[in-house]
Amino acid sequence: MSQTTAQLVSEINGGSISGTRNRIINGAMAADQRNAGASQTFTAAAALAYSVDRWYGYSTGANVTGQRIQGATVGQFYYRFTGAASVTAIGFGQRIEQLNSAELASTTATLSVDLANSLLTSVTWTAFYANTADTFGTLASPTRTQIATGTFTVTSTVTRCSTNISVPAAATTGIEIVFTVGAQTSGTWTIGNVQLEPGTVATPFERRSYGLELALCQRYYLSYGDFHIGMNGNTNAQGDGAFPVQMRASPTLSYTDTSGVANQVSIWSGTFNSSTFTNGGFAASTLRVVLDASTSFSSGTSSWLRAYNVKLSAEL
Amino acid sequence: MYQLTTSTSIIRLTDNACIPPDPANRDYREYLEWVDAGNTPEPAPEPPAPLDPVELTPVEKLAASSLTIEELKQLLGLN
């Protein structure tokens, strides 16, 4: 085997032209379990808020809105922020867990992204690694170390931008990529097809099937829908289900009753009725909702309960 | 702001999400940082008193037993 062939095989198996080379999940912004394409408001100076799957946003100075938008063809999307008066900065980032990024340490990686901005002419990119495994901290108190930063020159037309990043040996604890703009006081900022891949070559965006991409996202966030809970007597109820994929960690759970009231479930007894029962605990490897035995559900009535809008988050 | 529950989970009062005590969960880590900063979660809510059982009328009790009046009289030796 010649050296050239050996190099080619190496590239195919683990390099820049290998499959699933993109360490960014949902780089095409296709999966949007939280908002299903609806607009989201990012509150100024608040904690980072997750938006399209795996991506978070934040703003300073004033609130901004963001929304997944349709691209040129069906199945192609971008994420777009709309500026507002007094905005001083907007950020959009993704935290990549240790298991999916540690092998990039001590190598050169390449970051690529489609960008456009109708007001500003530069977008800053910054790469970090977590100080401890998968722990990046908060916006107010980050626990991460900067790897590198730079700027992309952008116009109002979507343009592909890329840069090489020398990933240090210590970056085995998870990597965070953040794009930021300054005073987006009007106009729009558009982002799409983000890719972080091993090697020095910016290859074309790796387009994975929607089903695969959604499954990758569900490790971090799951919109479960409605969930039935069986009653055990009048004061105890439990419901169990399975996650479509193993979640990254025990997830934070939220649900509503049929009226949309958070942390309440509805009782079936001819009609759905709002209840006032507080969640008593749950396990995380599988979906389990346990309603506390200290509360009576109804008097002498065998029935079942239903939690609506069940959502689970194990984001980084 | 957080509230304890009767289990090990924590309720985040801003959105009523239920947070598991998993150190890998970012929400739980934020809760621990909040506590380390000197804050105290609200105690678990007091369990409400159980509902009173429904008091059946004598006619309802008889209907629930599937006995007729004649059968009841016979049982009690009133015939």
Side-chain angles (χ1 to χ4, degrees):
Chain A
M1 182 180 293
S2 69
Q3 181 67 21
T4 301
T5 303
Q7 288 174 334
L8 179 61
V9 171
S10 174
E11 285 292 286
I12 291 172
N13 287 334
S16 58
I17 59 174
S18 65
T20 61
R21 63 187 180 279
N22 190 1
R23 300 305 189 265
I24 296 288
I25 295 175
N26 199 31
M29 318 296 167
D32 188 10
Q33 293 183 85
R34 291 176 181 82
N35 298 306
S39 178
Q40 174 178 354
T41 298
F42 296 89
T43 304
L48 60 84
Y50 276 88
S51 55
V52 282
D53 279 76
R54 296 299 294 119
W55 291 97
Y56 69 78
Y58 64 88
S59 73
T60 59
N63 297 353
V64 297
T65 57
Q67 185 171 19
R68 186 189 69 178
I69 61 166
Q70 179 72 51
T73 61
V74 173
Q76 290 190 334
F77 300 96
Y78 292 101
Y79 197 76
R80 176 171 288 171
F81 288 96
T82 299
S86 303
V87 167
T88 53
I90 304 173
F92 190 64
Q94 182 168 137
R95 293 169 166 177
I96 308 168
E97 74 171 300
Q98 178 183 43
L99 290 174
N100 292 336
S101 60
E103 86 286 355
L104 295 179
S106 303
T107 72
T108 299
T110 299
L111 174 66
S112 307
V113 57
D114 286 345
L115 292 170
N117 198 305
S118 65
L119 175 71
L120 305 173
T121 57
S122 78
V123 173
T124 299
W125 62 267
T126 309
F128 304 91
Y129 67 88
N131 292 349
T132 57
D134 296 333
T135 304
F136 297 87
T138 61
L139 280 179
S141 303
T143 55
R144 62 190 185 187
T145 300
Q146 182 173 305
I147 296 173
T149 188
T151 58
F152 292 130
T153 299
V154 298
T155 69
S156 58
T157 302
V158 173
T159 306
R160 191 82 177 147
C161 306
S162 66
T163 187
N164 290 147
I165 300 173
S166 294
V167 183
T172 59
T173 48
I175 290 175
E176 181 172 4
I177 300 294
V178 187
F179 301 103
T180 54
V181 294
Q184 188 85 47
T185 54
S186 65
T188 59
W189 175 29
T190 306
I191 309 140
N193 293 339
V194 186
Q195 181 154 290
L196 180 67
E197 59 188 314
T200 60
V201 178
T203 67
F205 180 73
E206 178 188 33
R207 197 161 296 283
R208 296 187 285 245
S209 70
Y210 179 77
L212 172 58
E213 205 73 56
L214 179 62
L216 295 175
C217 295
Q218 287 174 330
R219 175 170 169 77
Y220 306 89
Y221 183 85
L222 176 61
S223 181
Y224 197 94
D226 302 341
F227 188 64
H228 293 271
I229 305 166
M231 293 180 68
N232 177 21
N234 291 338
T235 60
N236 203 313
Q238 178 171 318
D240 291 271
F243 295 143
V245 298
Q246 180 73 45
M247 298 200 76
R248 185 191 65 82
S250 301
T252 298
L253 168 69
S254 61
Y255 53 83
T256 72
D257 65 11
T258 188
S259 302
V261 179
N263 206 25
Q264 295 190 21
V265 298
S266 292
I267 303 173
W268 176 259
S269 56
T271 58
F272 280 104
N273 298 307
S274 178
S275 67
T276 56
F277 307 127
T278 302
N279 176 274
F282 61 97
S285 55
T286 56
L287 175 56
R288 169 170 291 178
V289 175
V290 180
L291 296 174
D292 199 287
S294 61
T295 313
S296 289
F297 296 119
S298 61
S299 178
T301 304
S302 176
S303 187
W304 50 271
L305 312 174
R306 195 173 191 184
Y308 289 83
N309 304 309
V310 175
K311 301 181 190 309
L312 302 114
S313 175
E315 292 285 7
L316 288 160
Chain B
M1 294 290 288
Y2 299 87
Q3 183 177 39
L4 302 177
T5 68
T6 53
S7 73
T8 55
S9 302
I10 308 295
I11 300 294
R12 183 172 56 203
L13 295 175
T14 52
D15 60 357
N16 280 319
C18 189
I19 301 171
D22 181 353
N25 181 298
R26 67 186 299 267
D27 297 317
Y28 186 65
R29 284 199 301 259
E30 287 184 13
Y31 163 72
L32 293 178
E33 290 173 9
W34 182 81
V35 172
D36 287 345
N39 299 295
T40 304
E42 295 183 13
E46 287 290 324
L51 298 175
D52 292 333
V54 173
E55 191 62 40
L56 300 178
T57 65
V59 172
E60 289 170 332
K61 290 176 181 175
L62 184 62
S65 71
S66 301
L67 289 172
T68 64
I69 292 177
E70 289 305 316
E71 289 170 333
L72 182 61
K73 284 181 177 177
Q74 191 172 359
L75 274 177
L76 297 175
L78 300 178
N79 284 336

